[in-house]
Amino acid sequence: MSAQLSARSDASTSQQRRWLAFAVLLVGAFLPPLDFFIVNVALPSIRGSLHTSAAELQLVISGYAAAYAVFLITGGRLGDLFGRRRVFLLGLSGFGATSLMCGLAPSPQVLIIGRVLQGLSAAAMAPQGLASIHALFPLHERSRALGIYGATIGLAAVVAQALGGALIAANILDLAWRVIFLVNLPIVAVVLAGGLPLLPDARADSPAPIDRIGVLLCACTLGFLIAPLVEGRERGWPWWACAMLVAAPLVGMHFWRHEQAYARQGGVPLVSVDLMRVRGLRAGLASVLCFYVVSAFFLVFSVYLQSALGIDALATGLVFLPFGLGFFIGPLTTPWATRMFGRWVTAIGMWLEVAGCVLLAALVWHTPARMPDLSAVTVAVGLLGFGQGWALPTLVRSVIDRAPPGESGMISGVTNSALQVSASLGVAVIGGVFFSVAGPSPSPAAMAEALGAAMLCIAASLAGAAVLSIVASQR
């Protein structure tokens, strides 16, 4: 009897340590989306303070997302190679330092550089929590852990919109928008001071060296694609922007050929060639690429609310609150939804988002010069958030569960990278559509027309993602 009690006590202690370690690692899931979402409500304030152009505003967002996307795969591989505890702590420390750089930025250029470096730090930090789910939890606890992981991202969305607006409105120490970056510093300090003993030093069983050429080619491919999409429209599509767009698919093809050759030579490529042959995985990743363009919604809707309707940052943050609440509640209800709807949950979540996009477009077109009916806006924004909350964790799990445990770091990096590439391209392309339709000196009616066009573009991409998710689940 005493032996059984002792075994139960040890199991309970082990379970508690697993969840405490996971709670620390969830900071890596919380901070990157917090800084993605929180900056959206500050864009008009940044524009007025630093006199940024529309393209520079897009780069404040897409520069972060692109750097995050490019190096997420590498971040996952670094965790496999050097230990997830060490890489997580290095990424967290870098995130704190670059947050300070952004908060003190004297010019748009310094702010953009700081955001790119912040994205690099987030790329080292974020994959470690997702990859550690396989190492920390037995199979029967992973669904719950993934649900909490998704809810954490939703909580970041809730906190970011309201907190960003409140901090800017409070104008603490006359810092205005700068405080949205400086608020990261106490979070980083607490985790570094109190979380170190809790983190396990998990890593892959047989880690291989980093594919440096693959990292470089992947970075060049995404850089050649995203930079001209953001800068080209504002600069009148100069020759270098067109040349980069032409070069992007060529460099991408060279990247993939290098990965195949590197694998044949016995190396471990940045993206596993064999892993890409897993049935349904490519359709799932294609769905991820179409899915996260919804991130452009925060840019265009925030600019519309503050620039066209004259709403302040605090009120703007409150308008976004239904999205965050839906995004927080959605992942907590996915176990029930999965029992009810099975493999259709992901697609249903995306169709809810499509409905929210179409409803919001109709509302702003109906009342272009004033705030639409607030209850209807709440429904539209809430549908976007709740649908995101259903679709995101189930889509991520459907991709990650296809990987063998030894490659969990790689596939988590690939999945997160695909999400951030989608976010970055969404900001670049759909943000470009918005600013092009609005024109150089837009009236409220022109901005309403631009917002409606952007929301329909997002809806079309989400509909494509829903179809691809069904194809992936059938395979």
Side-chain angles (χ1 to χ4, degrees), residues 236-264:
W237 294 105
W239 68 267
W240 58 263
C242 300
M244 290 175 75
L245 284 175
V246 171
L250 300 178
V251 178
M253 290 172 59
H254 184 49
F255 164 69
W256 187 241
R257 287 171 182 165
H258 165 78
E259 298 296 274
Q260 292 173 317
Y262 194 72
R264 285 195 299 269

Side-chain angles (χ1 to χ4, degrees), residues 121-165:
S121 302
M125 176 176 61
Q128 312 316 324
L130 196 57
S132 295
I133 289 176
H134 278 274
L136 285 172
F137 297 103
L139 185 61
H140 68 277
E141 291 185 349
R142 287 179 193 165
S143 179
R144 181 184 175 196
L146 279 166
I148 293 174
Y149 184 90
T152 299
I153 298 174
L155 180 62
V158 173
V159 171
Q161 306 299 337
L163 179 64

